[in-house]
Amino acid sequence: NAGVTQTPKFQVLKTGQSMTLQCAQDMNHNSMYWYRQDPGMGLRLIYYSASEGTTDKGEVPNGYNVSRLNKREFSLRLESAAPSQTSVYFCASSEADRVSLNTEAFFGQGTRLTVV
Amino acid sequence: AQKVTQAQTEISVVEKEDVTLDCVYETRDTTYYLFWYKQPPSGELVFLIRRNSFDEQNEISGRYSWNFQKSTSSFNFTITASQVVDSAVYFCALSEALNYGQNFVFGPGTRLSVLP
């Protein structure tokens, strides 16, 4: 049972480089999310997608773009990496929609990104 | 806006002690959902429990128990007879509605160390 798979697990970038974090889920979930985790701040929402073809900004979207390629896949792109984007990134999915808020999120293993 | 507070940044206990992790939340919604997640040293986020705002019954699952009190906006988590394997960061989260879906607002986490 794969659940939520995200790649890569680790990445080091130089300031100004770009990269895409990939995420796929096999649970047929409607909603997908990208969070970043920083020490002492819990997880903060970067972008989310409530359904295929829709994306919306979360709490900390600056410097990121996303693509909901299909129902399974949701990618996060850093166009010009900055040291402030050093963080652990988590992709997640849930069955939730606008009406139903009672479903838990399932998380990928995380990507530890360092920007030097 | 929704907010989750976990006042305990770090807790250390000796194996077999009981420990309670505090969670206080803020919301203007009348219907909402609360969650606890565990993040072991390996880094993944593991779902532990979901509770809706209409159900104030306490819940026990093995060594874990949860005390939900709407009057104090608290959703505390107790581990009985703690074990070394319980060492992890524990996150409390609150579900909120977004324009097109659902977000999980996380607290900053409590790092629990269980010493042998």
Side-chain angles (χ1 to χ4, degrees):
Chain A
N1 295 335
V4 179
T5 304
Q6 59 180 107
T7 57
K9 286 189 171 54
F10 301 93
Q11 184 72 49
V12 178
L13 290 178
K14 293 182 179 178
T15 296
Q17 286 185 320
S18 62
M19 79 161 294
T20 300
L21 280 64
Q22 307 287 353
C23 177
Q25 53 93 6
D26 62 2
M27 296 173 281
N28 202 36
H29 285 167
N30 292 316
S31 295
M32 297 187 73
Y33 312 82
W34 278 104
Y35 288 90
R36 60 178 288 171
Q37 182 181 15
D38 301 294
M41 302 188 73
L43 280 77
R44 294 180 293 167
L45 183 66
I46 304 171
Y47 270 92
Y48 71 100
S49 169
S51 63
E52 184 179 351
T54 68
T55 63
D56 211 344
K57 296 178 181 179
E59 181 184 353
V60 289
N62 291 344
Y64 306 95
N65 284 301
V66 291
S67 295
R68 183 75 181 265
L69 304 169
N70 47 56
K71 192 170 186 180
R72 290 187 64 248
E73 298 173 289
F74 188 39
S75 62
L76 177 72
R77 183 161 178 84
L78 286 70
E79 291 291 351
S80 179
S84 61
Q85 294 178 304
T86 293
S87 187
V88 180
Y89 292 84
F90 285 96
C91 177
S93 71
S94 79
E95 290 182 324
D97 54 32
R98 181 63 177 84
V99 176
S100 170
L101 303 180
N102 68 341
T103 60
E104 66 270 25
F106 295 83
F107 286 82
Q109 295 276 54
T111 297
R112 188 172 295 275
L113 174 67
T114 302
V115 183
V116 297
Chain B
Q2 323 278 55
K3 184 178 179 182
V4 176
T5 302
Q6 296 178 256
Q8 304 148 307
T9 305
E10 295 190 34
I11 301 176
S12 287
V13 298
V14 177
E15 205 170 17
K16 298 184 183 176
E17 285 184 0
D18 299 347
V19 58
T20 295
L21 309 182
D22 297 332
C23 172
V24 174
Y25 61 92
E26 294 177 28
T27 179
R28 280 181 281 188
D29 294 343
T30 54
T31 301
Y32 52 90
Y33 297 86
L34 295 159
F35 306 81
W36 275 94
Y37 282 85
K38 174 183 179 180
Q39 186 177 42
S42 52
E44 74 273 22
L45 281 144
V46 178
F47 165 73
L48 295 177
I49 191 172
R50 174 183 65 238
R51 173 69 59 186
N52 73 58
S53 54
F54 296 116
D55 184 1
E56 288 194 70
Q57 279 192 329
N58 293 333
E59 181 159 338
I60 298 175
S61 176
R63 295 184 299 107
Y64 296 168
S65 62
W66 290 269
N67 182 355
F68 174 38
Q69 292 193 341
K70 285 181 75 171
S71 60
T72 56
S73 297
S74 65
F75 185 38
N76 297 336
F77 173 32
T78 297
I79 301 174
T80 303
S82 60
Q83 300 176 1
V84 172
V85 293
D86 295 327
S87 296
V89 180
Y90 291 86
F91 292 98
C92 181
L94 172 66
S95 182
E96 70 168 350
L98 297 171
N99 289 336
Y100 304 108
Q102 171 194 32
N103 180 32
F104 300 86
V105 178
F106 283 84
T110 297
R111 181 178 298 277
L112 173 64
S113 298
V114 181
L115 309 174

